[in-house]
Amino acid sequence: MQHKVIVIGAGVIGCCLADELTRRGASVTVIDAAEVGSATSAATFAWVNSNNKSPEEYSNLNLLGLQAHERSAARGGGRWFHQTGNLQIAQSNDELEALHHKVEKLASNGYQVRLLTTEQVRELEPALEAPRLTGGALYPKEGWIDTLTMCSSLLNRAMEAGAAFSPYETVTDVQPNRVTTQTPDGTAHEYEADTIILAAGNGNRKILAGAGIDFPTLEPSGSGAEGGAKNAGIGIISTTGPVASGMRHIVRATGIAMRPARNGGITFADHPTGGKWDIDDPRIWTVPALLLERARELYPTLKKVSTENVSLGIRVLPEDGLTIADRLANHPSIYAVATHSGVTLSAHLAEAVADEVLDGRRHHSLEAFGLARFETANI
């Protein structure tokens, strides 16, 4: 008999799971409180990498994620993965020295990276001005994901293979093998399955709280400019209108990260700059203009273009900053996934979690990312 799976959440992880599980013959239903790819997956810089991540198990997991995206693209099904490479630039001698140390460490662990002279940087990015440029580093395997194309393509493929999608249904209750939802008009629906996979980002915590389960992710609120309790923090992503910028890679410098956007413009972000404000603090709306000025200092072609889209999202962050991928100990028919590296990890997590759900064996790459490490969690 077909293994029946409910996937809660139609973001990057949920859509990858739906596609992978359907491909393996499972009967899949995806449920989301809104539309496909509309929550945190729509407010991410979408950088695929294992760049300077720790500890070693987490770095290795992210490398597996990058490689899974490569395999998908090689099969002709990953036109959403733009493996442009990531160019990190230094604009002072101190930054260049720190970059040298970082590259040396990554290279000694087998990560593909190489140092660049100022001339080599300008050869790779001819439109880059950066008058204080002192050098750089290229991470050639890294890239970015067009998350909307990925989510919609994968979910559509799963539906063509028999999966069902129930958008605009809010989960009101989760019990072993049963999910209850409510539509905007107040109609209740019930679904039954052999396995329920929670892939709803910050929604996991709220959904499980309703069932009396304390899920160990940080509270989904801004970090607050004045300090306070530790919580997940804000992600703010901005995109310009179409512009012939000449940008060829992801380009990162102190205070700014930029990449080509799906609309022909530039997407830019910087978490330390945007993440210090609470989501309801009006000062957060000063961030896009500030970052655009930083981008213009590096790419003068951006002086004639304006920001056309700004997306705010709450970062999905387990309490220890790593990834959660595990069954609930007291409810083994419920599986939960939560990670800040959702874009990078999505393709690999789909494969590994599908192995666990359908074969019943713990995947070796997920052994360090179980729920048992959270001693105080009521799971």
Side-chain angles (χ1 to χ4, degrees):
M1 295 180 64
Q2 279 188 310
H3 192 100
K4 295 179 66 176
V5 182
I6 293 172
V7 176
I8 300 174
V12 289
I13 294 175
C15 290
C16 282
L17 278 165
D19 178 62
E20 184 68 17
L21 287 163
T22 304
R23 187 182 67 81
R24 298 193 190 192
S27 173
V28 178
T29 298
V30 180
I31 300 171
D32 197 279
E35 258 295 352
V36 57
S38 60
T40 303
S41 295
T44 171
F45 190 66
W47 172 26
V48 175
N49 73 97
S50 182
N51 192 316
N52 211 32
K53 296 189 177 184
S54 61
E56 183 179 358
E57 294 88 352
Y58 188 53
S59 176
N60 291 341
L61 187 67
N62 279 266
L63 183 58
L64 290 172
L66 192 161
Q67 292 169 345
H69 284 300
E70 284 186 313
R71 289 196 301 273
S72 176
R75 291 194 300 264
R79 61 188 180 88
W80 46 84
F81 180 34
H82 301 275
Q83 200 169 22
T84 58
N86 164 37
L87 179 63
Q88 183 177 0
I89 64 172
Q91 298 187 86
S92 71
N93 289 330
D94 287 344
E95 288 185 1
L96 184 60
E97 182 179 0
L99 187 57
H100 273 254
H101 288 304
K102 176 183 176 181
V103 168
E104 183 179 7
K105 179 181 178 181
L106 287 172
S108 68
N109 292 329
Y111 197 69
Q112 292 198 35
V113 56
R114 68 176 187 271
L115 287 166
L116 303 172
T117 65
T118 56
E119 293 77 12
Q120 290 171 323
V121 170
R122 297 192 187 284
E123 182 178 347
L124 288 174
E125 284 288 323
L128 177 71
E129 290 285 339
R132 301 185 304 277
L133 184 68
T134 54
L138 178 67
Y139 309 83
K141 290 289 188 176
E142 297 177 6
W144 61 278
I145 294 284
D146 176 351
T147 57
L148 180 57
T149 297
M150 184 176 84
C151 288
S152 58
S153 298
L154 290 176
L155 186 55
N156 286 340
R157 188 163 70 188
M159 292 170 67
E160 289 171 359
F165 178 40
S166 297
Y168 300 103
E169 292 194 22
T170 301
V171 174
T172 57
D173 186 44
V174 170
Q175 297 295 330
N177 307 111
R178 190 180 76 250
V179 173
T180 305
T181 70
Q182 183 173 315
T183 58
D185 65 2
T187 303
H189 297 271
E190 282 199 355
Y191 300 85
E192 294 185 354
D194 300 302
T195 302
I196 298 163
I197 303 178
L198 289 165
N202 288 307
N204 286 2
R205 183 181 178 90
K206 181 178 180 180
I207 290 168
L208 289 173
I213 299 169
D214 183 15
F215 190 64
T217 52
L218 298 182
E219 289 286 352
S221 58
S223 57
E226 307 303 326
K230 184 180 179 183
N231 46 42
I234 303 300
I236 180 167
I237 307 296
S238 305
T239 300
T240 71
V243 59
S245 66
M247 186 177 296
R248 300 175 179 178
H249 305 77
I250 297 172
V251 176
R252 297 171 56 247
T254 300
I256 188 72
M258 303 166 286
R259 62 164 174 81
R262 72 190 308 269
N263 70 338
I266 297 298
T267 291
F268 56 93
D270 181 60
H271 178 66
T273 302
K276 65 181 180 179
W277 305 119
D278 196 83
I279 197 166
D280 58 2
D281 191 318
R283 288 174 291 183
I284 197 169
W285 297 107
T286 66
V287 172
L290 173 62
L291 295 186
L292 182 56
E293 284 306 310
R294 293 178 186 173
R296 286 168 171 166
E297 290 177 4
L298 300 176
Y299 285 86
T301 50
L302 299 178
K303 291 181 178 178
K304 294 183 179 180
V305 70
S306 60
T307 301
E308 290 192 355
N309 179 271
V310 177
S311 298
L312 290 180
I314 308 295
R315 302 168 73 211
V316 180
L317 203 62
E319 289 176 356
D320 61 1
L322 304 178
T323 291
I324 295 171
D326 200 4
R327 296 180 186 273
L328 304 192
N330 296 328
H331 306 285
S333 67
I334 301 176
Y335 195 110
V337 181
T339 179
H340 176 53
S341 301
V343 170
T344 294
L345 297 180
S346 55
H348 173 69
L349 284 176
E351 296 173 355
V353 173
D355 280 350
E356 294 197 356
V357 168
L358 300 180
D359 298 337
R361 296 188 300 272
R362 189 68 170 148
H363 196 278
H364 64 89
S365 70
L366 302 181
E367 290 176 355
F369 304 100
L371 284 162
R373 71 187 194 269
F374 301 99
E375 295 180 359
T376 61
N378 177 26
I379 51 179

